[in-house]
């Protein structure tokens, strides 16, 4: 089966974008350069087409119960217009995916919209529908991934940029992780003050067929997934499939540094396993590091002690465009996780000195 394409694929191609496969989608990885696009977001404003992200709607009398049992955070605490970061775990507490859950206004029979990662829509739809049937819950589950286009407008000037395209909406009144329906360029969109860069910004969902109208109204530097990756890495944010993966990098929220999304006073799949780990503590934990020697850490490189004993693995790494120094993320035993601990990273088989640092790497 061929790669899926975002609704603005042709427009991105005309703008000179270079493309890469990600989660089964053919997506822009860069337009001008990753470094320039990264700087635009840190210094002014950039716009990303993230229409490859999955979207699942859950509605009906038992929608809250279904969402509560399948995510680790407290969905019942959400008021309409609220959102929360959460994890989806298996019976052993291992992360299957991370997600943002939106509580929608109770209209058009839509109650919740959650955003799994790219290429996970079918898996999450099947999971929700299967457990709904097993638990005999009255809820409707819909995969609406190709009903919505999704854009992320990020950077210090994001509020001004989006407000110019949505003059009738008071978007400045939204707090972080709040959202509302608003007209953007005359198109009704779901606008959330969320993002994946560490900057202020908005994620905008609009009807698939209106994507070009909304995109064209947002005056920002087009950015690809390359700079999105370097931006999130500077913040220490997790990347599905690299920093956790149920098959290749099985990690729990406590190991991955997102234990704050686990609410043990709620009932959900994997809760008992996570309660046991919470009480016992973890053996390994997610850390950041900076290289002290020349080199660039990459996914899959070994992390070792000063004596050469391999103790972990790099899950993400890059040359930070903001800091102009090599940074990375990975897992090490807890006894090596303190800030300032010196370890070695094997870069192409050569040991490079590195120092453990608690992310984020930059002050935001």
């Amino acid at each position: 089966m061929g790669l899926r394409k975002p609704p603005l694929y042709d427009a991105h191609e005309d703008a000179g974008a270079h493309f890469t496969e990600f989660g089964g989608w053919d997506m822009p990885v860069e337009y001008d350069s990753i470094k320039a696009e990264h700087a635009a977001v840190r210094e002014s404003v950039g716009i990303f087409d993230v229409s490859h992200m999955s979207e699942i709607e859950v509605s009906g009398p038992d929608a809250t119960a279904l969402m509560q049992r399948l995510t680790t955070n407290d969905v019942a605490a959400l008021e309409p217009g609220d959102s929360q970061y959460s994890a989806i775990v298996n019976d052993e507490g291992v992360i299957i995916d991370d997600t943002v859950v939106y509580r929608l206004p109770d209209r058009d029979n839509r109650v919740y919209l959650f955003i799994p990662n790219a290429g996970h829509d079918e898996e999450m739809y099947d999971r929700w529908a299967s457990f709904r049937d097993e638990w005999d819950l009255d809820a409707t589950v819909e995969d609406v991934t190709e009903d919505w286009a999704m854009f992320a407008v990020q950077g210090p000037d994001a509020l001004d940029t989006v407000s110019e395209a949505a003059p009738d909406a008071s978007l400045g009144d939204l707090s972080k992780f709040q959202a509302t329906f608003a007209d953007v360029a005359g198109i009704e969109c779901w606008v959330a003050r969320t993002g994946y860069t560490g900057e202020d910004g908005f994620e905008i969902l609009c009807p698939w067929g209106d994507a070009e109208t909304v995109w064209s109204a947002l005056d920002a530097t087009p950015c690809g997934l390359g700079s999105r990756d370097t931006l999130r890495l500077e913040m220490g944010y997790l990347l599905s499939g690299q920093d956790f993966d149920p098959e290749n990098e099985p990690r729990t929220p406590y190991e991955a540094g997102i234990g704050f999304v686990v609410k043990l006073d709620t009932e959900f799949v994997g809760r008992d396993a996570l309660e046991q780990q919470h009480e016992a503590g973890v053996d390994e934990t997610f850390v950041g590091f900076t290289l002290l020697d020349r080199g660039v850490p990459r996914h899959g490189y070994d992390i070792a002690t000063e004596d050469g004993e391999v103790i972990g693995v790099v899950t993400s790494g890059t040359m930070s465009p903001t800091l102009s120094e090599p940074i990375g993320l990975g897992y090490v035993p807890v006894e090596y996780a303190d800030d300032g601990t010196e370890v070695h990273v094997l870069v192409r088989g050569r040991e490079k000195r590195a120092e453990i640092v608690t992310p984020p790497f930059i002050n935001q």
Side-chain angles (χ1 to χ4, degrees), residues 6 29 38 127 142 154 195 212 247 288 290-291 304 322 351:
V29 65
H38 184 108
R127 182 175 180 81
E142 297 179 85
Q154 303 282 295
E212 187 166 6
E247 300 297 329
T290 58
L291 280 194
T322 301
E351 292 188 355

Side-chain angles (χ1 to χ4, degrees), residues 57-103:
E57 284 186 5
V58 184
S59 60
D62 293 330
T64 301
L66 183 58
M67 293 297 300
Q68 190 83 302
R69 294 190 199 182
L70 291 176
T71 60
T72 62
N73 212 329
D74 186 5
V75 174
L78 294 175
E79 298 291 337
D82 289 344
S83 65
Q84 63 185 199
Y85 180 53
S86 193
I88 301 161
V89 301
N90 63 19
D91 288 333
E92 289 74 42
V94 170
I95 304 170
I96 301 171
D97 206 357
D98 62 349
T99 189
V100 172
V101 179
Y102 296 108
R103 170 76 188 275

Side-chain angles (χ1 to χ4, degrees), residues 35-342:
K35 187 173 183 179
E37 293 160 26
H38 184 108
V41 173
R42 288 279 180 250
E43 298 169 8
S44 53
V45 62
I47 183 171
F48 302 83
D49 186 345
V50 290
S51 300
H52 62 315
M53 298 297 285
S54 304
E55 287 104 21
I56 306 291
E57 284 186 5
V58 184
S59 60
D62 293 330
T64 301
L66 183 58
M67 293 297 300
Q68 190 83 302
R69 294 190 199 182
L70 291 176
T71 60
T72 62
N73 212 329
D74 186 5
V75 174
L78 294 175
E79 298 291 337
D82 289 344
S83 65
Q84 63 185 199
Y85 180 53
S86 193
I88 301 161
V89 301
N90 63 19
D91 288 333
E92 289 74 42
V94 170
I95 304 170
I96 301 171
D97 206 357
D98 62 349
T99 189
V100 172
V101 179
Y102 296 108
R103 170 76 188 275
L104 299 173
D106 296 335
R107 64 177 202 175
D108 298 331
N109 201 34
R110 292 198 298 261
V111 180
Y112 296 100
L113 175 70
F114 72 100
I115 314 295
N117 280 285
H120 292 184
D121 50 325
E122 183 176 351
E123 176 188 3
M124 291 301 127
Y125 170 81
D126 290 344
R127 182 175 180 81
W128 256 248
S130 174
F131 276 108
R132 175 200 59 194
D133 296 344
E134 179 181 333
W135 295 329
D136 195 26
L137 295 177
D138 185 2
T140 300
V141 180
E142 297 179 85
D143 182 354
V144 294
T145 301
E146 295 190 21
D147 291 350
W148 296 100
M150 187 173 180
F151 306 134
V153 183
Q154 303 282 295
D157 298 331
L159 175 59
D160 289 342
T161 297
V162 179
S163 294
E164 287 176 7
D168 296 331
S170 300
L171 298 179
D173 293 341
L174 292 178
S175 299
K176 190 173 176 64
F177 277 86
Q178 286 189 324
T180 187
F181 280 108
D183 284 351
V184 180
I187 305 298
E188 187 180 59
C189 302
W190 181 246
V191 182
R193 204 159 195 174
T194 51
Y196 189 52
T197 65
E199 298 294 337
D200 188 21
F202 297 86
E203 292 177 313
I204 301 170
L205 285 87
C206 70
W208 188 273
D210 294 314
E212 187 166 6
T213 298
V214 174
W215 175 274
S216 299
L218 297 164
D219 186 14
T221 300
C223 300
L225 297 186
S227 58
R228 191 169 184 253
D229 189 52
T230 55
L231 289 157
R232 69 92 193 169
L233 213 158
E234 288 184 342
M235 296 304 297
Y237 294 157
L238 297 170
L239 177 62
S240 174
Q242 281 194 195
D243 300 314
F244 66 86
D245 183 277
E247 300 297 329
N248 301 315
E249 191 64 61
R251 297 292 176 176
T252 70
Y254 292 123
E255 291 172 322
I258 57 168
F260 61 90
V261 306
V262 178
K263 307 303 181 187
L264 293 174
D265 56 350
T266 66
E267 292 294 332
F268 58 86
V269 172
R271 179 201 170 281
D272 292 348
L274 290 178
E275 183 178 43
Q276 291 177 13
Q277 188 178 66
H278 179 66
E279 293 174 352
V282 299
D283 296 324
E284 295 183 336
T285 190
F286 194 58
V287 297
F289 63 85
T290 58
L291 280 194
L292 304 177
D293 296 327
R294 291 186 62 178
V296 180
R298 299 296 186 193
H299 173 77
Y301 288 179
D302 286 334
I303 302 173
T305 66
E306 294 177 274
D307 295 329
E309 178 189 357
V310 175
I311 57 171
V313 65
V314 176
T315 54
S316 292
T318 193
M319 177 64 72
S320 163
T322 301
L323 302 173
S324 297
E325 63 181 40
I327 62 174
L329 303 168
Y331 293 91
V332 297
V334 293
E335 57 266 31
Y336 293 94
D338 292 339
D339 282 8
T341 300
E342 187 165 312

Side-chain angles (χ1 to χ4, degrees), residues 350-364:
R350 296 183 177 182
E351 292 188 355
K352 304 289 183 176
R353 293 178 304 127
E355 184 176 87
I356 300 297
V357 177
T358 299
F361 295 94
I362 61 173
N363 294 320
Q364 292 300 96

